[in-house]
């Protein structure tokens, strides 16, 4: 195995806590009161159906930044907020905070493997996030480069092609079994990392079958140890 | 200005010294005697015409790794060398050594700007080079992502699009005036860095007109100072 490709939202960064904190601050600045945790969950929940519209061809290729903004405007429901403030809030997804083990684990894994993003987030989002969070990627690969969102096979195979490795020399690391299953169907290896807090305390845990993935780890440090890095 | 895109071969790394050293070592391993400095110059000289064949549509999209290998095999002229040794030598372009100021200058520029490659080298070449040379890119952008080699405008405008900046918010940094002129024609800002040793000691220096580029610097530390980074 030569390279590791990481899902980002949920796997590397704690989108939920980050977005709730940004929403609370946005609410205070704009005099808006909402249940910001539910708002964050609804914002995130709008993302998969919006991508699916792109995947089915009902929408032309649209960046996550633009999908996020459409969902956000809809959730704000006509509240009087300046366009610039909406743009600034939408860029909260560029500023998500990593899980406590992410940076140290990536630094260790980077000693042995090429490490890249393989996210549905657009290149500028991933680049800005790496800068603000100190994520030490060797390169930034996004569904945007292929015009295909995960779980389309073009994303997994395109990542292997850009890195010039065979699919079986590349491992997808993710906390979402559906992403890993699609990567496996394209011939990639799979590393499942549990992120029990992704949906908040007490949130549901995905169901995974024994032996379904090549490696199961409880964080990136554990993943590094299991991969001999 | 928000981002800097760097030409790589010659601008960031000293391809000539690196390639000569690799060729000498290859020659010693394989019992071949040649004028390795001339061989290196011929290898590099084959690159622009090969890319131009792709740009004119005479060849389908072909990665630099594959163009480099074709030129190399041609220059070796049937010498008895194992395929694996040719592959290994061809990857010398993944291991080029930076100029002495490159890493420190990039680290400084990265504090203020998004810094990316914008090279005709393929993504895997640039990724491996960054890893071996310690180049602290925020992301890795290549002509390969657009299916258009520089100086086609698609490369410059594609880079701005992926970074989500306007062309005038992006500066191309290069030691080759032709690259900078094409970037300027696409609306980018331009930073010319002199690399008098690119073609070896006593090599020709490009001719540049006064005021032709936004910034002229004698190395990356000087560039950082001039850009307030």
């Amino acid at each position: 195995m030569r390279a590791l490709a990481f899902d980002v939202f949920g796997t590397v960064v704690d989108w939920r806590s980050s977005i709730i904190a940004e929403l609370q601050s946005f609410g205070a600045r704009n005099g808006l009161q909402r249940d910001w945790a539910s708002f964050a969950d609804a914002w995130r929940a709008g993302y998969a159906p919006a991508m699916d519209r792109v995947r089915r061809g009902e929408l032309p290729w649209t960046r996550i930044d633009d999908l996020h903004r459409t969902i956000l405007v809809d959730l704000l429901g006509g509240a009087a907020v300046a366009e610039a403030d909406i743009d600034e809030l939408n860029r909260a997804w560029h500023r998500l905070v990593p899980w406590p083990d992410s940076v140290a684990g990536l630094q260790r894994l980077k000693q042995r493997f090429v490490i890249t993003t393989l996210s549905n987030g657009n290149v500028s989002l991933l680049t800005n996030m790496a800068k603000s969070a100190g994520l030490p990627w060797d390169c930034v690969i996004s569904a945007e480069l292929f015009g295909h969102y995960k779980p389309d096979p073009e994303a997994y195979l395109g990542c292997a092609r850009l890195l010039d490795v065979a699919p079986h020399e590349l491992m997808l690391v993710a906390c979402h079994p559906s992403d890993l299953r699609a990567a496996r169907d394209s011939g990639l290896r799979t590393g499942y990392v549990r992120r029990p807090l992704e949906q908040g305390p007490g949130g549901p845990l995905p169901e995974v079958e024994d032996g379904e993935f090549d490696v199961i780890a409880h964080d990136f440090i554990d993943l590094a140890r299991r991969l001999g890095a």
Side-chain angles (χ1 to χ4, degrees), chain A residues 163-201:
Chain A
L163 295 177
D164 198 19
V165 299
H168 70 270
E169 295 173 319
L170 177 62
M171 175 178 278
L172 182 76
V173 178
C175 66
H176 307 123
S178 57
D179 195 2
L180 293 166
R181 289 176 191 130
R184 188 187 58 196
D185 290 345
S186 288
L188 275 67
R189 301 202 198 187
T190 51
Y192 173 57
V193 177
R194 289 193 193 90
R195 293 300 192 190
L197 294 174
E198 186 193 356
Q199 310 290 340

Side-chain angles (χ1 to χ4, degrees), chain A residues 9 42-52 64 67-68 71 119-121:
Chain A
F9 300 127
W43 198 359
R44 174 70 176 170
Y47 158 95
M51 279 195 306
D52 283 343
I64 288 290
L67 297 178
H68 275 152
I71 302 162
S119 168
N120 286 333

Side-chain angles (χ1 to χ4, degrees), chain A residues 55 148-159 182-183 185-186 188:
Chain A
R55 294 178 58 233
H148 281 276
Y149 282 120
K150 296 187 293 180
D152 286 352
E154 288 85 348
Y156 307 104
L157 296 173
C159 180
D185 290 345
S186 288
L188 275 67

